[in-house]
Amino acid sequence: MNGRSLTLLLKMRLLAAIVAPGESLYLPSLLHRHHRNRPITTPSTAALPSTDFDQTDVPSLLVSILSNQNWQKHPALRMVMPIISSSHVSSLFSNNPNLDPQIALNFFHFVGRRPGFKHSVQSHFLLLKILIPHNFVGIAEKMRIFMIKGCASVDDVCFVLECVRELNKDDHPFKFKLTLRSYNELLMLLSRFSMIAEMKSVYAEMLTDLISPNIYTLNTMVNAYCKTGDLVEATVYVRKILQAGLKPDTFTYTSLILGHCRNKDVNSAYKVFKMMPTKGCRRNEVSYTNLIHGLCEAGTIDEGINLFRKMGEDDCYPTVRTYTVIIDALLKSSRETDAMNLFNEMRERGCEPNCHTFTVMIDAMCKENRLDYSRKMLDDMVEKGLVPTVATYNALIDGYCKGGKIKAAEEIFDLIELNNCKPNERTYNIMICGFCRQKNVHKAMALLSRMHEQKLTPSLVTYNSLIHGQCRVGNINDAYRLLDLVEEDGLVPDKWTYSVLVDTLCKHKRVEEARAVFDSLKEKGIKANEIMYTALIDGYCKYGKIDDANALLDCMLASDCFPNSCTYNVLIDGLCKEGKVKEALTMVQNMDRMGVKPTVATYTIIIATMLKEGDFDHAHRIFDNMISTGCKADAYPYTAFIHMYCSIGNLEEAENMITRMIEAGVMPDSLTYSFLIDAYGKLGLKNCAFDVLKRMFDAGCDPSYLTYSIVIKHLSRENLIEENSSEAGPSLVPNVSFSDVGNVWKLLEFETARELLDKMVTHGCPPNVNTYAKFITGFCKVGHLGVAWRLFDHMNEKGMSPCEEIYNSLLSCCCELGMYSDGIRLLDDMMEHEHLPLLDSLKMLVCGLYDEGKKDKAIDVFCKLLSFGYNNDEVAWNILIDGLLKSGFTDRCSELLDIMEKRGHQIHPQTYKLLIEGVHWT
C-alpha cells in the first residue's frame, strides 16, 4: 500500500471510531468535532459501522454509502475511492445480490471512471447476476460483451467461458441466452488466446442453440485455424461460407494467405494473393503485410521489399506492422543500415513506430552492443507516450547483462514495475543469469525468492543458471542442494544441469567425484554430452592421466558423441605439458581429419609450448599459419609472445607485439599489461613501468590484483635497495623473495602503499575505486587489517565511496581475525549504503558471536541479515546448516529457525529435511 492509501485508511478508521450508531458520517460533523463533544447528526443519512476499519470493511462501508440517495457526493466515498479495488466491487455485489440494479450499475460505471482502475471479469459477472433478474436485458448484453472483451489472461477466459455457459443453460433460474454477437465475441476471444479446441466446442454449442453463423463467425474460425497453419480445417469453414450462400471476402482470403505463410508455403500464399482481384476482393494492407511477412520468413527479404514498394498500386499504404515486419527481417539478416534507413523513412512518411517496432530495434541494437543507443530509444518511445511492454524491457535488460552492465540492468528491472508493467519469467531468468555471470550469486538467489512471491514458476532454465552461479563461486554444496530443489519441485534435471556440476568438480580437482556423477547419468536416462566428456578429459590431463583421458575419448566416440575443438584442445594441452609435443601435433592433424577446425586456443597451446622451448621461429610460423587460415587471433596468442619476450628481457619485441596486436584490433588485457610492467620493473625502469600502467588506464583496462601486486613488488624492492645501500651497500640487502605476490601484501606498510598511490597521480593514472578495492582486498587476504582500514579511511577522505567488494573484503577479514565488534559496525555501514554482505562472512560473524557467548548480538545480526532480502533457503544452508549445526550450536540453530518462521521467512521442505538430518547428525 502506498503512503496516500495508508493515510486514507487511517482517516477512515478514525471516522468509523468517532461516529456512533444512528449518526451520520457527514463532513460538517467532522468540521465541528474540534468545537463540540458530539457530532452533528443528519436524519436523511444511514448509520455507518463504528467498528475498526480495514480493507475487508470496504464492501460493508460501500453498502452504507450506497443506501444514501445522493451517494455520489458522500464524503466517505471520496475518502474511500482511492483504495477501492475490483475485488471490493466483486465482494459488494456477491454479498448483496438484492442491491438495486440501477444503483449497482451506476456505481459500477462511477468507480470505473477512476484513473488506473479496471474492473475484473468477476465484477462484471456478479453485476450481470444483479441485472438479469430485473430484466435489464439490453444493458446486460452490453455488459456481457464488455466482460468478454475484458479478458486479460487464459484464467480470465476460462472463468468467462464457464460463466456464460452457466447463464446460457435452459434450466438456469435467470436464463440469459447467448446472442449471435456474444457468440462471435466469444469466438474472437478464444482465437486471440489460440484456444482452438474451445472454439470448436463453442461453435458446436452455437449450432445447438439454433443460431446461424454469419460471415463474421465463419471468418473467425477460418482465421483461427490459419494462425496455427491448419489449412485443412480452415478450408472446411471456407466451404461452410459457400454452403451458407455467403461469399468469401477480403478477410477470408487474407486469413488463407496467413495460413499458407505459417506453413512456409509462400507460393500458395502468392496464388491466393493474385486470385483476390479475380474474386472481386480488394487486397488491403493486411493482405500485403501477411504475404510480405511470409516472404521475409522464407529468407526472400528483397522480394518482400519489392512487394512492399508495390502496395500503392492497390491504393494501399504500409502500416506500422508492415514496416516493422521488414525492419525485423533486415535486422535478423544483419542488414542494420537498410533497417535503419527504413526506420527513418517510416517516420518521415508520418507512420510513427509502435511499441513492437521500438522493441525490435532495441533488441537488435542490444545484440550489436549499442546499449546507449538502445536506452535512448526506450526514452524516446516513453516521451512519445508509448507504453513499453515487458518484451521491450527484457530486450534491454538482456543487452545490459550480456554486456556486463548489471547495475544498468537493475535500473531497467526497477523501471518495469514503476511503469505499471510486471516482470515475467524471462525477465527473472535474464537477471538471474546476469548476476551469476558477475558471480553475484546471492542477488541471483534473492530473485528466486521474488519469483515465488510474484507467483511465477521457476523453470529448469532458472535453476540451471543458479546451479551454474553457485558453481562459479565454488559453492558446490549449494549447487547440490539446488539440484535437490529441482527434483523436489517436479522438474527433471537435464544434461546442462549435470554438465555444469561435472565441469566444476573437475576444476576443483574432484575428478573421481565428477566421474561418479558422470557414470550415474545412464540410469537417469541422460546421455552425456561433449561438455561433460571434455571436462573429465581435462581433469584427467591435469592429473597427468593421459591414458585415462585417451580412453575416455574412445568412449566418447563409441557413444556417438563427437569431440569438439575444446575436447581436442584439452588433450593437446595435456600432451604438451607432459612434454609430448610430437603427439600433440599429431592430435592437431587428427582433429583436422575429423572435420574439427583448429581454433585460436589450439594454436595458442602450440605457440606457448614452442616459446617455452625457446623456438621463437617455429612459434611465429604457427602464428602466421593461424592468421592465413582466417582464424582471427584474440589476446591470448599475442600475450603468450609478450610473456616470453618479457621473461628474456627483450622489451623491444614485446612492445612490437603489443603494437601489432592493437593494429589488428585486439586490445591487450590486464595480464598482457602486467607482464610488461613486471619486465620493466625487473630492469629497474620504474618510470617505464608506470607509463605502461597509464596506458592501461587510458585504454579503459582495469588493473587486476596481480597488476598492483607486481607494481608494489618492484616499488618495495627499490625502497629496500635505497634504504640499505645508503647505510651499508647492496650486499646487505635482505634476501627477500618477491616471487610470491602474497608476500608483497604481507611486507607492505601503509606509507609505502600511499607513496605508490601518490606516484600513480604523478604519472597520470590517479587511483580510482577499483585501485583501492584491489589494495584493500590484497591486505585483507593476508590479514593485514590495520593497513586496510587506513586505506579505507584514506579513500573516504578523498571523497570516494567504497564499493561492495571493499566492504566484503573488510568484513571477511574482521570475521577471520575474530574482530566481531568491528564486523557488526561494518555490517551496519553496509546496510546504510545498500551493499550486500557475503553469507560466508555472516556465517562466521553469527557463529563467532555465539562462540563468545554474545547471544543477543548474534540474534541481532541474524535479524539484520533477514532484512537484506536473501533467498531463505540460502540463508538456512549457509548460516544454519553450514554454520551453526556444523559448529555444534544445535539449539541456536533451532532458535534462529523460529525467528525466520515468525517473520514469515519460509524455507523449502527439502531444506527442512536437510536441517532435520543435520540436527540428527550433531
Side-chain angles (χ1 to χ4, degrees), residues 335-466:
R335 293 170 61 176
E336 290 83 7
T337 304
D338 291 340
M340 189 58 72
N341 290 339
L342 193 61
F343 181 75
N344 293 331
E345 176 192 312
M346 172 187 184
R347 302 179 93 165
E348 288 166 6
R349 291 191 175 185
C351 183
E352 283 300 318
N354 64 10
C355 186
H356 182 56
T357 320
F358 274 109
T359 301
V360 163
M361 290 293 293
I362 287 169
D363 186 46
M365 294 302 103
C366 284
K367 285 182 169 64
E368 291 291 310
N369 204 32
R370 295 174 63 185
L371 299 173
D372 291 340
Y373 186 80
S374 297
R375 180 59 199 266
K376 185 179 179 299
M377 292 198 87
L378 177 69
D379 294 337
D380 285 348
M381 68 182 291
V382 172
E383 283 175 17
K384 291 180 182 298
L386 294 171
V387 180
T389 65
V390 69
T392 319
Y393 290 116
N394 285 350
L396 197 49
I397 290 169
D398 190 45
Y400 279 129
C401 285
K402 285 176 178 169
K405 298 184 176 181
I406 196 72
K407 288 288 182 189
E410 283 185 273
E411 287 175 15
I412 302 298
F413 185 83
D414 292 337
L415 269 181
I416 298 179
E417 290 188 337
L418 284 174
N419 292 337
N420 295 318
C421 190
K422 283 189 175 180
N424 58 16
E425 285 90 347
R426 175 165 166 71
T427 322
Y428 279 99
N429 284 343
I430 293 168
M431 285 297 298
I432 285 169
C433 187
F435 278 127
C436 288
R437 276 201 201 102
Q438 297 284 314
K439 297 186 178 181
N440 202 333
V441 72
H442 294 329
K443 283 192 176 179
M445 290 291 293
L447 286 180
L448 178 66
S449 296
R450 284 181 66 177
M451 283 188 81
H452 287 302
E453 288 166 10
Q454 297 292 325
K455 309 297 182 193
L456 296 172
T457 306
S459 64
L460 188 59
V461 172
T462 318
Y463 281 112
N464 280 351
S465 293
L466 289 167

Side-chain angles (χ1 to χ4, degrees), residues 18 27-40:
I18 65 174
L27 193 58
S29 68
L30 299 176
L31 295 174
H32 285 274
R33 185 65 171 163
H34 297 289
H35 307 290
R36 300 172 56 168
N37 293 325
R38 61 183 179 84
I40 296 174

Side-chain angles (χ1 to χ4, degrees), residues 865-893:
L865 76 89
L866 290 178
S867 68
F868 275 98
Y870 295 102
N871 176 271
N872 295 329
D873 291 300
E874 200 181 24
V875 170
W877 297 339
N878 285 271
I879 309 297
L880 303 185
I881 297 173
D882 291 343
L884 296 174
L885 286 183
K886 286 188 179 177
S887 299
F889 293 114
T890 308
D891 293 340
R892 303 309 182 204
C893 176

Side-chain angles (χ1 to χ4, degrees), residues 690-745:
F690 273 107
D691 287 342
V692 176
L693 188 64
K694 185 180 186 306
R695 280 153 61 184
M696 280 188 84
F697 271 74
D698 292 344
C701 178
D702 279 335
S704 65
Y705 169 72
L706 175 66
T707 314
Y708 286 118
S709 300
I710 289 168
V711 173
I712 291 167
K713 174 180 75 172
H714 293 299
L715 182 66
S716 299
R717 185 177 66 176
E718 182 185 75
N719 288 348
L720 279 171
I721 291 171
E722 287 175 2
E723 288 169 14
N724 288 280
S725 62
S726 63
E727 295 175 9
S731 61
L732 296 179
V733 174
N735 185 21
V736 180
S737 170
F738 288 93
S739 59
D740 179 9
V741 293
N743 288 332
V744 168
W745 302 99

Side-chain angles (χ1 to χ4, degrees), residues 772-844:
Y772 281 97
K774 296 299 180 285
F775 271 57
I776 290 169
T777 300
F779 286 120
C780 287
K781 279 184 178 179
V782 296
H784 220 335
L785 187 59
V787 181
W789 271 124
R790 292 184 70 182
L791 274 175
F792 180 81
D793 293 337
H794 188 262
M795 76 174 294
N796 278 307
E797 288 165 9
K798 295 284 185 182
M800 294 185 195
S801 298
C803 62
E804 199 167 273
E805 180 187 353
I806 291 172
Y807 275 109
N808 273 313
S809 293
L810 288 167
L811 181 60
S812 176
C813 190
C814 283
C815 293
E816 284 173 359
L817 295 174
M819 300 171 66
Y820 303 119
S821 296
D822 288 327
I824 292 171
R825 283 195 293 273
L826 264 173
L827 181 62
D828 291 338
D829 208 17
M830 290 185 81
M831 286 185 74
E832 186 181 334
H833 290 88
E834 297 183 349
H835 290 310
L836 195 69
L838 295 175
L839 281 174
D840 274 347
S841 298
L842 294 174
K843 172 180 68 179
M844 285 191 285

